[in-house]
Amino acid sequence: MPRRVFRIGIAAVTLAVAMGTALSASGPRWTWLNRPPLIVEHPVLAASLARLYSGSPRWRDALDAVLNTGRRVVVVTPDKVRVRDERGGAETPFDPDVLAEAQPIADDWSRVDTVVVVINLPLLDTLYSDATAADLAADLDRILAHEVYGHAIPYLLAGHLSGKCADPLPKQRATDACAIKRENEIRGELRLGERRGHGLDGLTIARRFRY
């Protein structure tokens, strides 16, 4: 399957700047670096990433490890990206029906310096229009744990497409898949429940639709 290429346009700021916080002993040591390991613009996404950083030692250790490589994760909303097939063709918007996606940006030698994580906040707003703010916040934390810690960080630590941490294969148990194992590590530290199923299973929104 041909690799998709993302073009991003973002006035990038670091997590701490986006949150309006000050540098402190308890904050990320990379807050004011020229090339931090995590870049985010949208305040809702920044708030979720701040919760993950505050509550998960594994998350903090992983970002420090990425910092040491000089690589980075860029977390954006769909309006900040355009998508095209690497074989060429016209650029298209991000699929409005896709909830989230992590896309490594690789060079001709499959080396990865940046991973773009797209979180479809307009779709989330629609799905959660009658949900509580707490439900939305918890599910956003789960989604970012999966996309950033589950998918993006393994690429960046490897610095290569060979670092792929995959979702479940057909007929594979969800809990045996690399990305979901990693997601569950973060969920455990934040008491967000274990993910045991495929797709949207394990999110509050899935349970609401089911019942």
Side-chain angles (χ1 to χ4, degrees):
M1 180 178 177
R3 190 166 70 241
R4 299 201 303 160
V5 178
F6 281 17
R7 178 172 64 82
I8 56 175
I10 176 173
V13 292
T14 69
L15 171 61
V17 174
M19 292 295 292
T21 60
L23 183 63
S24 68
S26 61
R29 66 185 177 93
W30 40 264
T31 301
W32 302 107
L33 294 180
N34 289 331
R35 192 176 176 84
L38 181 60
I39 294 175
V40 60
E41 181 181 47
H42 198 287
V44 172
L45 298 177
S48 178
L49 292 166
R51 289 191 296 270
L52 290 164
Y53 191 91
S54 174
S56 170
R58 291 177 187 267
W59 181 276
R60 295 193 294 272
D61 290 345
L63 287 182
D64 278 346
V66 173
L67 170 65
N68 292 333
T69 70
R71 304 178 189 118
R72 61 183 180 176
V73 187
V74 181
V75 182
V76 296
T77 47
D79 58 303
K80 300 299 182 182
V81 299
R82 303 287 292 178
V83 183
R84 64 176 171 82
D85 191 293
E86 67 173 354
R87 295 174 301 186
E91 293 182 348
T92 60
F94 186 79
D95 188 336
D97 296 323
V98 172
L99 194 60
E101 181 177 348
Q103 179 67 38
I105 307 301
D107 65 13
D108 292 340
W109 293 272
S110 298
R111 295 176 301 197
V112 175
D113 188 58
T114 300
V115 178
V116 178
V117 172
V118 184
I119 305 296
N120 195 340
L121 286 183
L123 179 57
L124 280 170
D125 286 342
T126 299
L127 294 175
Y128 289 79
S129 59
D130 61 346
T132 67
D135 282 346
L136 174 57
D139 273 356
L140 186 55
D141 293 355
R142 294 177 180 110
I143 292 166
L144 280 165
H146 181 84
E147 300 297 339
V148 176
Y149 189 81
H151 288 305
I153 287 176
Y155 279 124
L156 296 174
L157 293 179
H160 195 272
L161 290 177
S162 62
K164 180 178 181 178
C165 185
D167 283 323
L169 298 171
K171 299 183 179 180
Q172 181 185 20
R173 288 194 312 173
T175 52
D176 290 337
C178 176
I180 293 181
K181 284 182 179 179
R182 289 179 60 85
E183 175 188 347
N184 279 332
E185 291 177 0
I186 305 300
R187 282 179 175 239
E189 291 183 336
L190 295 175
R191 299 182 180 180
L192 291 172
E194 182 184 19
R195 179 177 177 182
R196 298 181 179 180
H198 298 70
L200 297 181
D201 287 351
L203 296 179
T204 301
I205 193 64
R207 295 194 294 272
R208 290 174 63 246
F209 282 148
R210 187 176 300 129
Y211 299 109

